[in-house]
Each structure stands twice: as structure tokens, then as C-alpha cells.
DNA sequence: TAGGCCATCTGGTCCT
DNA sequence: AGGACCAGATGGCCTA
């Protein structure tokens, strides 16, 4: 297990591999895995760009098909990195809202997901216990109770909207316990819309 | 040193 | 066609 976070690894571009040594983190030499293409590319390009005046092949300059292919690959790698960074940010955000015993120890991804699932279950159970009298038909801590709870919330929202349209004023001092649910609802809708 | 965790690259597949 | 997503491979870092 880890006790401290690591600095992000630096990528080593497939092109100009040798020229980018200074990009590497000092205590974190480059991962060799992704460099296979770079190695092959380096050896091949050095041949192509080298002193081979003899022989038939025209030198692969910028704009060639292979150069374009490599460029696309590099762009794809960059997008993939960004995607993984976003995923990791989401994991971090999740870690920060999950209570766990050892706050000094960073949760792994699998621990984060497992704890989050259990946390949601326990919260759902708590809600049901506290409000079972007001939410008929939602008794019991069953796995599918989350969607039911949300369904009930939606019904409540519709009723409130109807009342509002009918002119029934919402009490000015009325407590709004659905703040988080409201956000949850908005988020679900935005996910559905792909935003 | 082994094992766990992670970042990154890569090629395939799906989706828009 | 191009981007998003996914899973496998690889290798580095850290801890027990």
C-alpha cells in the first residue's frame, strides 16, 4: 500500500525521443513500455534520415503517410492521457466524500469503489429507516431500493410542480432536504444528455 | 524481493 | 473519419 501520492509520470514523445530526456521526472525514469514504437521509430528513422544516399527509398519527410500515422497516434495518446486524468480526478473527488478510517492513507481505486458502494447502501438504508413512515412501499434495505428512492423523489418533484402551477405557494420557511437529490437529479439528466 | 498499484502506450471496437 | 472507450501489455515505484 502507498502512503504518499506520486508525481505524475512524464510522457516521452515518440518523436525526438532522445531530445526529450529533460522532460523526465528525475526520480522517475520513463516507462519503457510505450517506447517500443519509439525505439523502432528511432532506429528506422535514423536509417531513413541517415546517410543512406544509396538505395531506392525516398526519405519519409513531414507530411508523408507514415508521419501522419505517427502524428495521429501521438494525438490519440494525448487524448487517452487526458481521459485517464479526468477519470483519476473523478476518483479523487469520490475519495474526498467517502468517510474512511485512515484518512492519511490514500484509498486505492478498487477500495474507493467498494467503499463508495457500501457508503451509498448505508446512506440509503439510513434514509429509509428515518423516513419509512413517509415513504410507503420503500421499506427494506434491498439492493434495488436506490432507484425506487429516486423514483419517489421524482414523483415528489412532480407533485410540487403541480402545486406550484396551481398557485399553491411553497412555504417560505419550508425546509428543502432535497438539495443533494436535486443536484443528483440534475447530474443524471446531464449525463443522459451526454454533457 | 515479491506483490500491489499505478501511468502510459497501443490496437481494437464502438459511436457520432 | 475521427474521437471515445476499453482491455492488454509493460515497466516503475512503493511497501511488507
Amino acid at each position: 500500500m502507498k502512503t504518499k501520492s506520486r508525481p505524475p509520470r512524464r510522457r516521452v514523445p515518440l518523436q525526438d525521443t532522445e531530445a526529450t530526456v529533460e522532460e523526465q521526472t528525475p526520480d522517475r525514469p520513463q516507462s519503457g513500455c510505450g517506447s517500443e514504437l519509439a525505439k523502432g521509430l528511432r532506429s528506422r528513422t535514423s536509417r531513413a534520415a541517415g546517410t543512406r544516399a544509396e538505395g531506392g527509398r525516398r526519405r519519409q519527410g513531414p507530411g508523408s503517410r507514415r508521419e501522419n500515422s505517427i502524428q495521429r497516434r501521438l494525438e490519440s495518446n494525448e487524448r487517452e492521457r487526458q481521459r485517464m486524468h479526468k477519470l483519476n480526478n473523478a476518483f479523487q473527488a469520490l475519495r474526498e466524500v467517502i468517510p474512511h478510517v485512515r484518512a492519511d492513507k490514500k484509498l486505492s481505486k478498487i477500495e474507493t469503489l467498494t467503499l463508495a458502494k457500501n457508503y451509498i447502501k448505508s446512506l440509503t438504508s439510513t434514509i429509509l429507516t428515518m423516513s419509512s413512515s413517509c415513504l410507503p412501499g420503500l421499506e427494506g434495505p434491498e439492493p434495488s431500493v436506490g432507484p425506487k428512492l429516486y423514483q419517489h423523489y421524482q414523483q415528489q418533484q412532480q407533485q410540487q410542480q403541480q402545486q406550484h402551477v396551481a398557485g399553491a405557494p411553497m412555504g417560505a420557511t419550508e425546509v428543502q432536504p432535497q438539495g443533494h437529490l436535486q443536484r443528483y437529479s440534475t447530474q443524471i439528466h446531464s449525463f443522459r444528455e451526454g454533457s
Side-chain angles (χ1 to χ4, degrees), chain A residues 97-111:
Chain A
V97 297
I98 301 174
H100 58 286
V101 179
R102 294 197 55 191
D104 59 320
K105 171 180 164 288
K106 183 184 176 187
L107 292 173
S108 71
K109 291 179 177 179
I110 187 69
E111 287 171 336

Side-chain angles (χ1 to χ4, degrees), chain A residues 11-161:
Chain A
R11 74 186 177 94
V12 177
L14 297 181
Q15 293 167 304
D16 301 331
T17 311
E18 291 138 316
T20 54
V21 174
E22 76 281 359
E23 276 194 45
Q24 296 171 15
T25 313
D27 60 334
R28 184 178 288 269
Q30 76 171 86
S31 160
C33 60
S35 311
E36 285 308 310
L37 178 60
K39 290 172 191 166
L41 175 66
R42 185 168 41 193
S43 61
R44 273 172 280 166
T45 49
S46 62
R47 257 184 281 137
T51 57
R52 285 192 59 188
E54 86 287 320
R57 283 285 163 82
R58 186 178 300 176
R59 178 178 162 177
Q60 302 266 3
S64 72
R65 190 184 299 179
R66 201 167 68 82
E67 288 287 335
N68 288 338
S69 171
I70 291 170
Q71 187 59 38
R72 277 204 307 276
R73 187 66 257 178
L74 288 171
E75 289 168 359
S76 180
N77 290 349
E78 178 63 28
R79 282 193 301 272
E80 179 66 7
R81 271 196 303 275
Q82 295 303 320
R83 196 181 70 85
M84 295 309 296
H85 288 167
K86 277 197 273 185
L87 185 63
N88 287 338
N89 287 342
F91 264 107
Q92 186 53 39
L94 190 53
R95 278 185 193 105
E96 287 166 6
V97 297
I98 301 174
H100 58 286
V101 179
R102 294 197 55 191
D104 59 320
K105 171 180 164 288
K106 183 184 176 187
L107 292 173
S108 71
K109 291 179 177 179
I110 187 69
E111 287 171 336
T112 302
L113 290 178
T114 305
L115 279 178
K117 184 198 75 177
N118 292 337
Y119 187 44
I120 290 170
K121 275 183 163 181
S122 74
L123 286 181
T124 303
S125 174
T126 302
I127 291 171
L128 290 177
T129 303
M130 292 175 70
S131 56
S132 58
S133 60
C134 329
L135 303 177
L138 291 182
E139 304 84 4
E142 53 189 275
S144 62
V145 81
K148 281 186 186 175
L149 202 58
Y150 179 66
Q151 196 177 8
H152 176 85
Y153 165 69
Q154 282 185 313
Q155 288 169 359
Q156 252 190 349
Q157 290 289 96
Q158 284 170 5
Q159 285 173 7
Q160 283 182 4
Q161 280 178 358

Side-chain angles (χ1 to χ4, degrees), chain A residues 162-180:
Chain A
Q162 284 166 5
Q163 286 175 0
H164 194 63
V165 168
M170 303 264 289
T173 57
E174 192 174 358
V175 180
Q176 297 288 326
Q178 299 99 344
H180 287 81

